Amino acid sequence: SPSQKLVFNRVNGKRPQVFSHQVSAPEECYTLAHEENVRFIYEAWQQVEQQLDGSRNGESTCGPVQYVEKTPNPGLKNFVPIDLEEWWAQQFLAKIENCS
């Protein structure tokens, strides 16, 4: 069978608006609700980390418990978790180098 072709129909038959100048990346805009959610999650996670640190130091007997596998998967023996902050920094620097 012949390969299928993607077809994009114009809205109301109009041509898409074309800008003659290069448009920079749009600024991210966050709603108040988004910022409140991020703040809530950040503060809640900070509390969990403090409680985990306290339980490691013997200050607390209750609270969050960090999961540790009893029998680790041998296939993950050489697994190294990615440092997302470092990865994003590398991506950012690569974009800067490519633009200059």
Side-chain angles (χ1 to χ4, degrees):
S1 72
S3 64
Q4 294 184 353
K5 198 179 212 181
L6 280 176
V7 177
F8 295 97
N9 295 318
R10 295 181 180 151
V11 179
N12 297 330
K14 295 180 182 178
R15 299 186 106 195
Q17 186 177 7
V18 178
F19 296 102
S20 60
H21 63 284
Q22 183 178 3
V23 178
S24 61
E27 290 185 31
E28 294 183 32
C29 83
Y30 300 109
T31 64
L32 182 60
H34 173 84
E35 291 179 7
E36 288 175 9
N37 288 338
V38 170
R39 190 176 311 110
F40 171 78
I41 292 170
Y42 175 79
E43 290 172 359
W45 185 248
Q46 293 304 309
Q47 289 177 355
V48 169
E49 286 187 326
Q50 288 174 357
Q51 291 173 355
L52 276 173
D53 288 341
S55 65
R56 287 185 199 128
N57 297 333
E59 298 171 12
S60 175
T61 57
C62 61
V65 177
Q66 188 170 3
Y67 175 77
V68 178
E69 286 189 82
K70 293 178 179 149
T71 55
N73 183 339
L76 298 175
K77 182 176 72 172
N78 297 324
F79 174 77
V80 178
I82 187 171
D83 181 346
L84 284 177
E85 289 183 11
E86 177 65 25
W87 185 84
W88 280 113
Q90 290 174 358
Q91 297 298 310
F92 179 73
L93 291 174
K95 283 183 183 179
I96 292 173
E97 289 174 357
N98 288 337
C99 290
S100 56

